[in-house]
Amino acid sequence: MKILFIAPRLPFPLLQGDRLICYYRLKALSQEHQITLLTFYQSKQDLQHLAKIESMCHEVHAIHLPRWQSRYNCLTNVIGSKLPFQVAYYRSTEFQATLNRLAAETKFDVAHYFLLRMAEYQVPAETVEIIDLIDSMQLNLSSRLNIGKPLSKLFTKQELQRITTYELDVVNRFKHAILVSQRDADYFQPTGKQMDVIPLGIDIDLFRPQPQKHDGTVRLIFAGHMSYAPNIHAVQWFVENCWAELQARCPNTQLIIAGADAPAEIVNLGNRSHITVTGRVASMAETIAQADIAVVPMQSGSGMQFKILEAMSCGLPVVTTSFGLGTIQAVPDEQIIVADLVDDLIDRIVELVKDPKKRGEIGQNAREFIEANHSWHHAAAKIRSIYQSIKSEN
């Protein structure tokens, strides 16, 4: 089939969750379908990764959207428009003109929109449209109303007001709408539309167990993109509420905070005893695999947590909250540890620190769970099924 894939940015390097998902969608789907990718880039530096994407696609069309243009789009969106700012940010007449030209030159079987941000762009009426939402922005923003600085909270509140009606209206325009978790899908019940739930995948060959260091230190890790507000909040909450007690009971522990673009408040945590803030790392897979326990104390956010699945794929026991677990179907106390209260969270981590055998058992169970349920092969198969159903109907 001929697929027009419409995405807000080049899906490489693999630094954020949306780029990871987009990259592996293209990698898997291009094996059976002819993919034309239409996307944006913001600087010439972005184009150094273009060849990596072109190798997977029939054609790649990257449209320049400078940051000043995006900021201007948002500024003019304040008054007289009800568009969410994340949608207005990607407004471009050149992008729409290129889309029109591509649609005139090729009869696409499916237009695959990636993320809500692209929903304003229009393809000819005869082209079947599907939208890969990943998660519900209503759920995401609702969970973030009380975190961050005052100005950030105000913006979140304003964006939530804009996104709520917009998101519900958008899904009815599309033949299929894809989400990664049932919890997010439940937010669309008012539309009456059946959502396609396709859990996240993991590159199980890249994120794999590796030999552990045995130097007496037990390494806890939080790994994720550190400019993301829910990640910042989770790390700060953990350090403020749990770290001192953990150090008192287990002085042989070290906390590693790994991920790009950490703000000052996260970088400064590296000044505390036994806390290391790495910034961007050469290989997140290797960084995670060299740790002993993954700690993911999420208090906000939406979708399904890549950081949990990646750590499980590396054979680490993961300690998370109910919010972090979400709709991941891992069995608590066998494949993952779930604790919400501060004292309980500390107790469960201490238990793992002091019991290497239990760490190994839960880590092995976690790896087996990922292999059975969260490879990218499984996710791609479900999207191919959607494509096939569209082909059969037409």
Side-chain angles (χ1 to χ4, degrees):
M1 296 173 68
K2 294 179 180 180
I3 311 298
L4 176 61
F5 205 97
I6 303 167
R9 55 183 173 180
L10 285 167
F12 205 88
L14 306 179
L15 296 177
Q16 296 94 358
D18 66 281
R19 277 179 160 162
L20 277 162
I21 297 168
C22 188
Y23 176 83
Y24 283 105
R25 291 271 199 267
L26 293 174
K27 184 177 181 180
L29 295 170
S30 63
Q31 294 176 15
E32 295 185 17
H33 302 291
Q34 179 179 298
I35 307 289
T36 297
L37 173 64
L38 176 60
T39 188
F40 286 111
Y41 73 96
Q42 290 198 308
S43 69
K44 289 184 178 179
Q45 186 178 2
D46 295 336
L47 296 179
Q48 65 182 310
H49 307 293
L50 194 58
K52 184 89 174 177
I53 308 305
E54 288 176 332
S55 66
M56 301 188 298
C57 298
H58 174 65
E59 292 180 356
V60 176
H61 299 269
I63 306 302
H64 187 214
L65 182 66
R67 285 184 174 83
W68 70 261
Q69 180 67 57
S70 293
R71 294 186 183 116
Y72 179 77
N73 288 346
C74 291
L75 184 63
T76 57
N77 192 61
V78 173
I79 301 174
S81 172
K82 295 183 179 180
L83 276 181
F85 287 99
Q86 61 190 272
V87 176
Y89 186 94
Y90 290 96
R91 202 160 41 199
S92 166
T93 54
E94 183 182 358
F95 194 91
Q96 181 64 61
T98 304
L99 193 160
N100 293 344
R101 176 176 61 79
L102 292 173
E105 294 172 351
T106 304
K107 187 180 188 316
F108 292 103
D109 298 292
V110 175
H112 188 141
Y113 289 69
F114 189 75
L115 301 185
L116 186 72
R117 304 165 189 178
M118 297 288 97
E120 285 298 292
Y121 290 103
Q122 302 290 321
V123 297
E126 64 270 16
T127 306
V128 178
E129 299 174 306
I130 70 174
I131 188 162
D132 220 332
L133 292 169
I134 307 302
D135 54 9
S136 164
M137 289 310 303
Q138 300 172 67
L139 175 57
N140 188 295
L141 294 170
S142 296
S143 73
R144 294 162 57 180
L145 282 173
N146 296 315
I147 68 173
K149 298 176 181 178
L151 188 59
S152 175
K153 291 179 182 178
L154 178 61
F155 177 79
T156 299
K157 183 178 180 180
Q158 291 296 319
E159 183 71 344
L160 177 60
Q161 291 175 353
R162 290 169 178 258
I163 209 81
T164 300
T165 301
Y166 182 84
E167 190 175 54
L168 293 175
D169 288 345
V170 158
V171 297
N172 285 317
R173 174 184 132 200
F174 290 85
K175 180 72 173 179
H176 291 268
I178 299 169
L179 292 156
V180 301
S181 83
Q182 187 59 48
R183 181 174 67 179
D184 290 73
D186 290 344
Y187 262 66
F188 293 90
Q189 285 183 347
T191 68
K193 186 178 182 69
Q194 181 65 41
M195 312 297 287
D196 295 284
V197 178
I198 303 178
L200 293 177
I202 295 295
D203 187 336
I204 59 176
D205 295 323
L206 178 63
F207 289 88
R208 66 188 188 279
Q210 295 183 10
Q212 298 289 306
K213 296 178 181 178
H214 297 286
D215 57 4
T217 299
V218 178
R219 296 168 179 81
L220 315 182
I221 190 167
F222 182 99
H225 198 267
M226 290 313 306
S227 67
Y228 183 49
N231 287 348
I232 296 170
H233 181 58
V235 169
Q236 290 180 312
W237 180 90
F238 179 73
V239 172
E240 291 169 4
N241 291 283
C242 306
W243 187 240
E245 178 67 17
L246 271 170
Q247 279 281 280
R249 293 171 63 178
C250 300
N252 64 325
T253 53
Q254 177 189 10
L255 175 61
I256 300 167
I257 303 167
D261 301 329
E265 57 265 36
I266 296 298
V267 173
N268 290 339
L269 294 178
N271 297 324
R272 301 198 186 191
S273 176
H274 295 270
I275 297 180
T276 300
V277 181
T278 69
R280 183 173 298 179
V281 296
S283 171
M284 185 62 84
E286 290 185 11
T287 302
I288 294 171
Q290 290 169 5
D292 300 287
I293 301 168
V295 180
V296 192
M298 304 307 294
Q299 309 291 312
S300 58
S302 61
M304 189 172 284
Q305 298 295 324
F306 257 121
K307 59 186 72 66
I308 291 179
L309 301 179
E310 289 173 345
M312 293 178 75
S313 188
C314 288
L316 267 62
V318 175
V319 182
T320 189
T321 57
S322 297
F323 202 101
L325 179 67
T327 55
I328 297 173
Q329 297 299 306
V331 179
D333 298 325
E334 292 182 18
Q335 298 164 327
I336 197 167
I337 301 296
V338 182
D340 293 309
L341 301 177
V342 170
D343 290 344
D344 191 23
L345 191 69
I346 293 171
D347 287 344
R348 303 310 300 273
I349 295 173
V350 169
E351 183 181 3
L352 290 174
V353 170
K354 294 184 175 181
D355 192 343
K357 182 180 178 182
K358 185 166 187 176
R359 291 204 302 267
E361 290 174 350
I362 294 178
Q364 182 177 339
N365 293 342
R367 170 67 184 188
E368 292 171 357
F369 169 79
I370 295 297
E371 290 176 341
N373 298 280
H374 286 280
S375 72
W376 283 114
H377 171 76
H378 288 90
K382 292 187 177 183
I383 295 181
R384 289 192 191 100
S385 178
I386 292 174
Y387 286 176
Q388 189 57 47
S389 69
I390 291 170
K391 185 176 182 180
S392 298
E393 290 172 5
N394 293 330

